[in-house]
Amino acid sequence: MSAQQGNSGNRIKKLCIYALLASVCIIFSFIESLIPTALIAPGVKLGISNCVALMLVCFNDCKGAVFVNCTRIIISALLFGSPFSFLFSFSAGIISLFFSILLKKLEKTGILGISITGAVIHNIVQLAVAVFLTGKGVIFYSPILIASGIISGAGIGILCKILTDNKNLNSVFNQKEN
Amino acid sequence: MKMVKKGDIIVIIVSLVLLVLCIGFCLLIKKDGIYVVIKEDNKTVYSGSLFKDDTIKLKHNTVKIKNGQAYMLCADCKNQICVNTGKISNSGETIVCLPNKVIVEIE
Ligand SMILES: [Zn+2]
């Protein structure tokens, strides 16, 4: 009985943390939408909101990462997007997260590698969707998108490294693991 | 935990190689190009890159090239088959307007 109670308490706690993280992501998405990085080339983004999912992957909470990422993409598409932008960010978000989790499970790379892979694959998928939807002309954006993926991926990776090394955050997430 | 693992360096190298390949690929298709050729009355009246947006006005038809796709914007023919063909972008594809003797081809 008490074990069950403890379990459901943990589940509620988990849910609260995910909801909190998802809302943090949405605030990041909003801030990002204010920064006109798309002027460089369509699709260029800072990807700060991806930091949260990446952090969860690094804490080995892949389910949580998928949950938070899906919630973030759906809600930010409803708030500041269109069906088109939803299709772009959803396909790219899910596929890049899949590769990030895969790399984490392989344990050959650190946060930096996971982050760069995620960002580059995110941009490649977006470009593929764009080729499918608007034609081959967008293929000329591929070098810019890959370069921006490497740069933003490295930046987010370093940021995430700082977060995951933080003792307070560590205690929150490791407690949650139990 | 170390900041950079061996795998990270491999990821960075692979990404950079991919970047170089993409730049090379873009330069190649820009130089070599995929061309749009328009013939009217069996004479070539236009030949230009598929990746350079353009609107070409012919005697009875208007062809538009946009975002790597070519299509018949409007035509004064009765059947409108050419307009309904839609957008073409792969080499070998054509839009034909029989009444006006116009052929748009991707080469
Ligand atoms: Zn016609």
Side-chain angles (χ1 to χ4, degrees):
Chain A
M1 184 64 193
S2 69
Q4 211 178 357
Q5 254 174 349
N7 222 341
S8 75
N10 238 337
R11 207 180 289 167
I12 292 168
K13 204 169 172 186
K14 237 182 184 179
L15 203 64
C16 285
I17 293 173
Y18 291 159
L20 192 70
L21 289 176
S23 48
V24 168
C25 283
I26 292 156
I27 294 168
F28 279 149
S29 298
F30 176 65
I31 295 170
E32 265 196 60
S33 70
L34 296 177
I35 305 168
T37 43
L39 286 181
I40 305 168
V44 173
K45 267 191 208 160
L46 291 175
I48 323 167
S49 47
N50 217 31
C51 190
V52 174
L54 187 64
M55 191 181 73
L56 285 172
V57 170
C58 291
F59 280 127
N60 246 325
D61 186 1
C62 299
K63 264 189 210 160
V66 172
F67 177 76
V68 169
N69 228 14
C70 289
T71 313
R72 162 179 78 89
I73 292 164
I74 293 167
I75 292 180
S76 58
L78 283 174
L79 287 178
F80 352 91
S82 61
F84 264 128
S85 70
F86 173 74
L87 195 64
F88 275 99
S89 45
F90 196 76
S91 53
I94 293 304
I95 296 172
S96 68
L97 187 60
F98 170 78
F99 277 94
S100 298
I101 292 171
L102 190 74
L103 275 191
K104 173 67 186 172
K105 298 277 181 213
L106 288 174
E107 290 186 336
K108 291 279 195 293
T109 51
I111 297 173
L112 200 62
I114 296 173
S115 176
I116 293 175
T117 309
V120 170
I121 288 180
H122 181 274
N123 286 0
I124 291 174
V125 174
Q126 276 201 329
L127 191 75
V129 175
V131 166
F132 183 70
L133 289 177
T134 63
K136 285 177 190 162
V138 289
I139 215 129
F140 289 115
Y141 291 123
S142 62
I144 302 169
L145 282 175
I146 289 174
S148 87
I150 297 171
I151 295 165
S152 70
I156 299 300
I158 292 166
L159 188 65
C160 212
K161 175 76 184 162
I162 296 166
L163 285 176
T164 48
D165 282 349
N166 184 296
K167 278 202 183 102
N168 294 328
L169 267 179
N170 247 310
S171 71
V172 169
F173 283 94
N174 289 331
Q175 208 182 349
K176 197 164 59 68
E177 281 292 297
N178 297 331
Chain B
M1 224 161 70
K2 272 191 297 175
M3 180 69 210
V4 178
K5 279 191 187 177
K6 206 174 158 193
D8 296 335
I9 297 165
I10 296 171
V11 166
I12 294 170
I13 292 171
V14 170
S15 309
L16 289 175
V17 168
L18 196 67
L19 177 63
V20 171
L21 284 178
C22 273
I23 294 172
F25 176 73
C26 286
L27 289 177
L28 200 75
I29 55 172
K30 207 163 207 170
K31 199 178 123 206
D32 225 32
I34 300 173
Y35 279 89
V36 181
V37 177
I38 303 172
K39 286 175 187 165
E40 194 174 33
D41 293 323
N42 283 326
K43 273 179 283 179
T44 302
V45 290
Y46 179 89
S47 175
S49 172
L50 182 62
F51 298 111
K52 201 172 155 263
D53 292 356
D54 204 351
T55 307
I56 304 106
K57 286 202 170 76
L58 306 169
K59 279 175 221 157
H60 304 281
N61 303 55
T62 307
V63 181
K64 201 164 166 81
I65 301 169
K66 204 178 176 219
N67 288 330
Q69 289 175 310
Y71 59 98
M72 193 71 80
L73 190 66
C74 54
D76 62 3
C77 60
K78 266 185 190 156
N79 59 28
Q80 294 286 305
I81 287 172
C82 52
V83 177
N84 294 327
T85 306
K87 296 171 176 177
I88 58 170
S89 60
N90 295 318
S91 61
E93 282 184 313
T94 52
I95 301 173
V96 182
C97 181
L98 273 180
N100 297 335
K101 289 185 184 165
V102 171
I103 300 172
V104 182
E105 193 173 11
I106 309 278
E107 284 187 351

